[in-house]
Amino acid sequence: MPVASGSDNAAERVLESARFISEHSTDVSVPESGVRQAAAQITARMQSSGYSTAAWKTHTLTPSTADASAIEWIFVVDTLNFSFWSARASPAEQYTVTLDGHAYRGYWSLCAAINRALRESVEITRAAYYAGASTDQLAHVFRTDQPDLQEPIPLLDQRVHALNEAGRVLLAKYGGKFANVVAAAQGSAQRLVELVVREFACFRDEHEFQGRRVALYKRAQILVADIWACFEGRGLGRFDDIDRITMFADYRVPQALCHFGALEYSPRLREYLRRSEVAVRQGTREMQPPEPGMLPAGHAWELEIRGNSIWAVELIRRHMRAAGADVNAILIDFYMWDYAKAHAEAMGAEPIHLTRSIYY
């Protein structure tokens, strides 16, 4: 089944898929008035804070030096960059990795685990290691602080498979280095996304919606964006077409879009999501919550949320650019994700869809 746009270009397929989903959604919409309001607010906030790609390296756990080792670190992290929400209501029982006296949860727990492994002389960023790493070895790498109390990292088996597969491809075709994949893209972000989704199956974020194949490619695109941000658009991180990359459809940015008024859920969907959050939090330790529970991966509602989020950010980008802002979808996404994490309590009124998926 062909992808909605039929384009040979991966980034274009995402945008066309997002528009197709938005035009055929029944329970998620992108209000024009909300888009305009969000664009104005985000522009003002980004300008007042001086937000730029430099913010990427201000995070404690990300590489501080843009070099070849940073490329391999980013590739491993984004190969595993999925499903970090917790089913436990108490932070004390959630998957946690402590490094340098700071306890990390969510996405940052992954970064902390990778850095902890490197300090322990585990060659976790070398394809020769992770291509053959066993479940037991990687369970140790991604161990939580208190196994008797805290949940383990979600989807460990899928993470092992993703790393093994990625490592084997790199060893067989790219000299064991993701930097060689980046070089093969010859300075094109779109070509790099295309290479990633073609070569590494775990990045192939495609689904069926309303009888059409749609492409969302969250992790492939954020992989390119992370390299661009780390290198601040220079050297291996220079992509002349970086502005063609779209927003990265996950579960945190849609919440922020709802908060800013640029995304709207139907009453029945909002009610389902609210009941689901409660149901999942009250589930058993074996992750078997009562109905309605988690929204299944590939469900029409899940795709409507993700597709409309991409389209909403694209419309916000167009408004901001028309007003003179030098911005792309990547910076908007990065800003909104950081904003959502920093203002989690204030956004508590907006529900999050809870889906276990290897794609985000």
Side-chain angles (χ1 to χ4, degrees):
M1 179 180 293
V3 175
S5 73
S7 172
D8 291 332
N9 184 286
E12 288 181 4
R13 290 201 296 275
V14 173
L15 196 58
E16 288 303 310
S17 293
R19 181 163 62 183
F20 177 81
I21 291 171
S22 186
E23 290 173 350
H24 294 83
S25 293
T26 59
D27 288 273
V28 184
S29 59
V30 181
E32 175 61 26
S33 59
V35 167
R36 289 197 302 270
Q37 178 180 326
Q41 289 186 38
I42 294 168
T43 298
R45 292 171 188 266
M46 289 179 71
Q47 289 176 344
S48 65
S49 65
Y51 198 85
S52 70
T53 54
W56 192 91
K57 286 192 285 191
T58 64
H59 294 293
T60 304
L61 298 173
T62 54
S64 57
T65 303
D67 57 16
S69 65
I71 295 265
E72 306 309 322
W73 186 95
I74 290 169
F75 179 66
V76 168
V77 166
D78 283 328
T79 298
L80 302 172
N81 185 4
F82 55 83
S83 200
F84 291 106
W85 59 266
S86 177
R88 306 287 178 84
S90 170
E93 295 184 354
Q94 295 171 4
Y95 175 69
T96 305
V97 176
T98 297
L99 194 66
D100 296 329
H102 187 94
Y104 294 98
R105 299 182 183 88
Y107 165 77
W108 294 115
S109 65
L110 168 65
C111 300
I114 295 294
N115 290 350
R116 178 180 63 187
L118 290 171
R119 292 185 188 183
E120 294 172 348
S121 299
V122 177
E123 296 181 303
I124 188 62
T125 58
R126 288 188 67 243
Y129 171 79
Y130 58 77
S134 68
T135 298
D136 286 345
Q137 287 175 307
L138 293 177
H140 180 73
V141 167
F142 300 114
R143 65 191 182 276
T144 193
D145 285 349
Q146 301 180 61
D148 293 338
L149 173 65
Q150 297 163 340
E151 64 185 342
I153 190 170
L155 304 183
L156 175 63
D157 288 344
Q158 290 86 337
R159 296 180 199 279
V160 174
H161 179 77
L163 273 182
N164 289 168
E165 173 200 62
R168 287 194 294 267
V169 171
L170 289 180
L171 291 172
K173 303 178 71 172
Y174 293 97
K177 301 286 187 182
F178 187 72
N180 292 333
V181 183
V182 177
Q186 299 178 315
S188 169
Q190 296 177 91
R191 193 176 295 120
L192 183 51
V193 173
E194 189 67 49
L195 277 170
V196 169
V197 299
R198 186 183 73 203
E199 299 282 24
F200 305 99
C202 68
F203 284 87
R204 212 167 294 148
D205 187 3
E206 297 176 358
H207 313 273
E208 187 175 345
F209 180 81
Q210 298 289 344
R212 301 287 294 273
R213 194 74 175 164
V214 293
L216 302 179
Y217 299 153
K218 183 263 184 179
R219 289 196 295 111
Q221 291 201 106
I222 202 170
L223 169 59
V224 177
D226 282 343
I227 293 170
W228 173 70
C230 177
F231 284 76
E232 297 185 59
R234 296 187 290 268
L236 282 174
R238 177 178 175 177
F239 302 107
D240 294 333
D241 55 353
I242 193 66
D243 290 348
R244 304 297 294 275
I245 298 298
T246 73
M247 166 265 191
F248 323 119
D250 64 356
Y251 50 86
R252 184 63 68 183
V253 175
Q255 185 191 34
L257 287 167
C258 289
H259 175 76
F260 281 106
L263 201 65
E264 192 170 276
Y265 299 157
S266 69
R268 69 171 180 170
L269 177 54
R270 288 186 70 89
E271 178 62 19
Y272 179 92
L273 295 179
R274 290 188 188 286
R275 290 171 55 214
S276 291
E277 284 191 89
V278 172
V280 169
R281 299 292 187 255
Q282 292 178 347
T284 69
R285 289 178 181 267
E286 287 73 35
M287 294 286 295
Q288 299 294 329
E291 290 297 329
M294 291 180 281
L295 189 59
H299 189 280
W301 282 350
E302 184 221 9
L303 297 175
E304 286 190 22
I305 291 170
R306 299 183 71 205
N308 278 280
S309 295
I310 295 171
W311 191 240
V313 170
E314 171 62 16
L315 296 180
I316 289 170
R317 183 194 69 83
R318 293 178 186 180
H319 277 283
M320 292 176 70
R321 297 277 291 190
D326 183 15
V327 70
N328 57 26
I330 296 171
L331 280 176
I332 297 170
D333 182 286
F334 281 177
Y335 174 80
M336 296 191 78
W337 192 88
D338 285 341
Y339 181 91
K341 295 293 285 185
H343 299 84
E345 193 170 317
M347 290 199 298
E350 301 298 341
I352 296 178
H353 73 283
L354 301 176
T355 298
R356 284 289 180 218
S357 168
I358 68 166
Y359 298 118
Y360 64 101

